[in-house]
Amino acid sequence: MTDRRLDDMNGIWIDEHLYTGRPSPDGRLPKEMRVYDLLDSLKMPYVRIDHDVTPSIESCQHVDELLGIEICKNLFLCNSQKTDFYLLMLPGTKKFRTAALSKQIGTSRLSFAPAEYMEQYLDIAPGSVSVMGLMNDKQNKVHLLIDKKVLEAPYLGCHPCVNTSSLRLSTKDLLDKFLPYTGHNYLAVEL
């Protein structure tokens, strides 16, 4: 029996046990299992917590505390023509400022990209946006933007393409192993 408790502040159940390694595939989506398989093949250690759906970054607070990190806010954005797509990683408590980002990347009229593009390019549903989705972007349609504060932290938190689990990964492993495997570069931004 696992240790589960209701996070009274957010009303979600959290398994407080910290897991390492690939979980059993029972009851898990194939896209989640592909994340663990890839991380294992890249020899990227990770710590995992399972929980109910986390509908917002605020609902991840207790998960953050258990993992000893701050879950990244991941935003899937596009230009007004829907020809350029961006995955922005920033600290969960940081405010997204469209104008500041637009100026840094030389584009205007950024907005949240429609869900169909998120699913098409990253194989991720709304609420589960994660840098792990770049493993599914074989044509490199999505540009990765990472806030400098995320890059400064030794570890980062993200979902494994579903929002019923959260991972703690080494930032260095993400940059040195995961991104080269996916063929994606990143641009450091400051928001």
Side-chain angles (χ1 to χ4, degrees), residues 174-187:
L174 180 85
L175 300 177
D176 295 347
K177 295 178 180 180
F178 180 80
L179 292 180
Y181 172 83
T182 68
H184 287 81
N185 294 315
Y186 71 93
L187 176 64

Side-chain angles (χ1 to χ4, degrees), residues 9-123:
M9 186 170 142
N10 297 302
I12 62 170
W13 285 97
I14 300 171
D15 179 345
E16 294 188 334
H17 185 83
L18 298 177
Y19 296 95
T20 57
R22 187 180 191 277
S24 165
D26 296 339
R28 296 188 186 263
L29 294 174
K31 64 181 159 187
E32 178 185 5
M33 297 310 296
R34 286 193 305 270
V35 170
Y36 303 127
D37 292 342
L38 177 58
L39 294 176
D40 290 346
S41 74
L42 295 174
K43 298 186 181 357
M44 288 179 58
Y46 52 92
V47 175
R48 184 187 88 251
I49 285 186
D50 296 325
H51 46 74
D52 283 344
V53 170
T54 51
S56 68
I57 204 73
E58 292 78 23
S59 65
C60 293
Q61 184 177 356
H62 189 65
V63 172
D64 288 7
E65 291 168 6
L66 291 168
L67 287 174
I69 47 96
E70 181 177 5
I71 295 282
C72 286
K73 186 184 300 183
N74 292 265
L75 305 176
F76 189 59
L77 308 166
C78 66
N79 63 358
S80 59
Q81 299 83 11
K82 296 178 182 61
T83 55
D84 292 321
F85 296 89
Y86 304 91
L87 176 62
L88 171 63
M89 298 175 66
L90 67 160
T93 55
K94 204 171 216 187
K95 298 281 188 217
F96 170 53
R97 304 203 191 290
T98 309
L101 180 61
S102 293
K103 184 176 181 181
Q104 288 180 62
I105 65 174
T107 191
S108 62
R109 297 190 157 198
L110 279 177
S111 63
F112 292 101
E116 63 262 21
Y117 292 104
M118 187 184 310
E119 292 171 8
Q120 177 183 349
Y121 296 133
L122 302 177
D123 191 22

